[in-house]
Amino acid sequence: MSTTSRVPKFLKPDDESFASERDAAPTDDHVTSFVFNAHQSLNLAAQRERLPIRQYRDQILHCLENHQTLVLVGETGSGKSTQVPQYLYEFGWHTKGLIGITEPRRISAITLADRVATERGELCGETVGVSIRFVSRCDPERTKIKYMTEGILLREMLADPLLTQYGVIMLDEAHERSTLTDTALGLLKKIARKRPQLRIIVSSATVDAEMFRDFFNLKPKGGKDTAVILTVEGRMYAQEIFYLQAPCADYVKETVATVMKIHRSEPRGDVLAFLTGQEEVLRAVDLLREHLEMGGKDDMQILPMYGTLSNTDQLKVFFTAPKGVRKVVLATNIAETSVTIPGIVYVIDCGFVKLKWYSADSTTDSLVVVPVSKAAAEQRAGRAGRIRSGKVYRLYTEEAWEKLPDHTPPEMRRSDLCSTVLFLKALGIDSILRFTFPSAPPAKNLLACLETLYALEALDADGALTSPVGYFLAEMAIPPMMAKMLYKAGEMGCSEEIVVIIAMLQVQSVFSKPAGGQAAIRARIAKRNFEVAEGDLITLLNVYCAFVEAGRTKEFCGRHFLIYRNLKRAHEIKTQLTGALERELNIPLLSCHGNVETLCRCVVAGFFPYAAYLHHSGVYRTVRGNTELSIHPLSALYTEQQPQWVVFGELIHTTKLFMKDITVIQQHWLTEIAPHYYHKVTVHDRL
C-alpha cells in the first residue's frame, strides 16, 4: 500500500499569469472559475470526507469496472472534479494509462490541478499535472493525473488518434455543451469503439444525462449496456411554481417588484433572481437599493453575481445574511449550474438567457437574448428546494411556458465551425456531414464555414486540406483567420510584428481602468499616448514595444496604467510562438521596421471576411451581409474621425453590435489581397 508524502514543499509566489488569457467564450458573465469551499476551516482529509461524492466512491468504481462510459450527475461543489480522479488513482487505474480530465476553461484546469496536488501533499507537475494552451506542467515519467483544456485533448489526437496513453478520460462540465465539448464527445465515441478498455466519464450537472448515456451506449444486439448514469443525490424539497397572468413589459422592473412582494409578504428565506447579463443585474441592484432607501429600512442585503465579478465579491453571496436581514442575489445564469448558493428558498426566473449566436449570412458571432429552455427553467427552479420547500416565480405566462423549447441549443448549433472543421479534416475525417456529433450543426452554418475556409485557402475545391496553408492553419492553436495572417506575414516580411499582435490578442485587456476620479483621467491620457489612427492592433503593438524597451518592468506599467500580468503573459506567448515558427512551421522571422502599411495589409490578408465600410447614414455595415455595426467605446478609433473602411477581429452585442480589434484599411486592398473573395461591381453591372 503506497503512502503519500506530507512533507511541506514551497515555491516562489505564482502570479497566476495563466488567468490573464482570453477564454474562448464571449459570455464571460455566465461562467466562473470561482469555487466556494464551505469546509475551509477543516484539514484537507476532513474536507474530502465531508464532500457529497465521498459516499459514492465504491459505486463509481463499480460502474467503471462494468461499463465503458459513466455519466456522473451531481451538483456544483459535490467534489466530482477533484475527488473522482483521486479515487481512480487510489484504486490503481493509473497503471492502465493516464487519468485525463478536461475542463472547458484554462483557469479551471489550473485551479483544480493545484487543489488536487495540494490534497496529495505535492506540487503541481508531479503526480498531478496540468496542460493548457502555451503552458504545460507535466512530468513525462511521474504525472498520472492530467488536467487539461478540451482543446489540448483534441490537439493530442492529431499525434495519437486513439489516445493510447490514456486509460480514463473524464469530460468535466459537459452540460455546458461547448463546441469543443461536442467535438470531443463525437471523437471519443469513435475511439471507444476501437478501444473497449478505455473508460470515459462524462461529468454533468442535472441536465442532458440521458442524452449522454444514449449517445455513448454502444450496446451490441442482445448485449448489455455500455453506458450508465450515476446521480450524486442532493436533498430536494418540493417547489411551488407561480406564473404571470399576463406578459410583463419589462422583466427587470418586474423582477424588482417581485423581490419587494416576497420581502413584504413571505416568511424568512433568501431570494435568487435570474437575469440575462451584467448590465441587467446592475440595473436591478440599483432599483432595489432605491426601494430600500425610500422605505427607510435596512433589512435586505442586495448582492450581484456574474462571472467577471472579482472572487472577493463573488464570495459574499455564500455568507449568511445578518439576523433579521433577507439576502437577495441577482445573478446571470452563472447560478444555474456553475455555482450553488446555500440558503435559497425563493427563485425568480425572468424567462430569458443571453447566448452566443452565429449568423451564417455575415459569418460573425454575436450575443443575443433568447427565451430560456424548459430544461434550463427546471434547473433554475431546482435552486429553490435545497433547504426546505421553496417557491418559484416565473415572469411569463403558463401558455408561454408550454411554447418554450425543451433544451437550449448546444453551442455547436449556434457558433462558427471553422476551427472544428479544420481540426476534423486534419484528423482525416473527410465527410464532416457524416461525423457523429451529439447535436449536428445546421447545414447553413457548415456551408458558411466551408466557404470561409475555402476563401482562406485552407480547403481546395474538393473540400480537402491544402498544403501548406491548410495544414499550417490546422496545426496552429489559434483561430484560422489569425493563423492565415501569420502565414502571410512570412511572405510579406512582417512576421515579428504579427507574432506580437497575435500574442497581445490572446490576453485580456492590457489597459488598467481605475474606477473614477483623477486616476481614471490619467489612465485615459496614458492610453491616448499609445493609440494610433491605424487602429487597435497597431496600438497593441505600440504598447508591447514600449514595454520591452523599458525592460518589461512593473514600474513602467504602473506609470502608464498598464496591467503587468497580462503584458508578461503576452511576452511568454510571443516567445513560444516565435520558437514554434522557427523550429517547426518554416515561417521566416522578419521585421518590416515600422512599415505600418505592410502590417495593415497583412491584417487584411487574414481578416478580409470581416470587412466593414462607413455607410452614408453614419453607421458601419459589413461588406458581406450588410449588418449594421458600431465602433466599440474602448477602441482607439472611438473618438477619432470615422475611417471609411475597416476590418475587425470580433463582434460584441450589448446595446448595439460593436466591432472590436479594428484596423483601418484602404478599399482597394480587399480586391488586391483577396480577389477571389471581393470584386468591384458597377451600377451598370447590377442593371
Side-chain angles (χ1 to χ4, degrees), residues 70 91 146 169 213 227 256 262 356 363 367 403 420 423 442 445 513 519 558 596 619:
L70 168 63
F91 196 66
K146 181 177 178 181
I169 298 283
R213 180 198 59 199
V256 171
I262 292 170
K356 184 175 77 167
T363 67
L367 291 174
K403 293 174 184 173
T420 305
F423 173 75
N445 290 11
K513 295 192 285 277
V596 179
V619 298

Side-chain angles (χ1 to χ4, degrees), residues 4-11 44 117-118 120-123 126:
T4 305
S5 169
R6 295 291 173 188
V7 179
K9 301 177 183 181
F10 299 95
L11 274 183
L44 290 174
T118 303
R120 293 183 52 77
E122 303 174 358
L123 295 174
E126 297 178 12

Side-chain angles (χ1 to χ4, degrees), residues 240-386:
E240 275 188 273
I241 296 179
F242 301 92
Y243 296 90
L244 291 183
Q245 291 181 338
C248 63
D250 184 337
Y251 57 78
V252 177
K253 288 183 179 175
E254 190 69 27
T255 297
V256 171
T258 308
V259 169
M260 295 310 297
K261 284 176 194 169
I262 292 170
H263 187 53
R264 284 194 295 263
S265 58
E266 294 289 347
R268 276 190 317 111
D270 295 337
V271 181
L272 170 61
F274 287 97
L275 293 166
T276 66
Q278 179 181 336
E279 298 86 3
E280 290 184 358
V281 166
L282 296 176
R283 185 178 150 213
V285 167
D286 291 340
L287 289 171
L288 274 174
R289 285 180 179 154
E290 282 177 25
H291 277 284
L292 274 188
E293 288 168 12
M294 287 165 60
K297 291 184 179 178
D298 195 17
D299 55 354
M300 189 190 295
Q301 184 183 25
I302 304 158
L303 299 169
M305 182 69 177
Y306 46 88
T308 51
L309 206 59
S310 69
N311 279 2
T312 308
D313 289 326
Q314 287 189 38
L315 186 65
K316 292 176 184 174
V317 306
F318 297 96
F319 295 146
T320 306
K323 192 172 182 181
V325 175
R326 190 193 300 270
K327 182 170 70 179
V328 176
V329 180
L330 298 154
T332 61
N333 60 338
I334 182 178
E336 202 176 288
T337 54
S338 297
V339 292
T340 299
I341 301 169
I344 300 298
V345 176
Y346 307 101
V347 164
I348 302 169
D349 178 5
C350 74
F352 291 92
V353 64
K354 189 183 284 185
L355 296 175
K356 184 175 77 167
W357 213 278
Y358 175 73
S359 165
D361 295 326
S362 62
T363 67
T364 52
D365 285 318
S366 58
L367 291 174
V368 294
V369 175
V370 296
V372 75
S373 67
K374 284 181 180 174
E378 293 287 3
Q379 187 74 16
R380 291 177 175 186
R383 302 283 139 176
R386 296 277 178 257

Side-chain angles (χ1 to χ4, degrees), residues 57-71 84 87-88 91 93 96 167-169 196-202 228 230:
R57 178 183 182 273
D58 294 340
Q59 289 94 317
I60 290 167
L61 296 171
H62 175 79
C63 287
L64 284 173
E65 282 288 312
N66 293 282
H67 298 86
Q68 187 173 12
T69 303
L70 168 63
V71 180
V84 173
Y87 298 158
L88 293 169
F91 196 66
W93 275 93
K96 303 176 185 181
V168 183
I169 298 283
Q197 71 278 19
L198 177 69
R199 291 297 181 262
I200 299 166
I201 303 172
V202 181
V228 66
L230 178 65

Side-chain angles (χ1 to χ4, degrees), residues 4-6 44 48 86 111-124 128:
T4 305
S5 169
R6 295 291 173 188
L44 290 174
R48 291 187 67 190
Q86 293 186 74
T111 307
L112 290 168
D114 282 340
R115 172 69 188 188
V116 173
T118 303
E119 288 183 6
R120 293 183 52 77
E122 303 174 358
L123 295 174
C124 184
V128 184

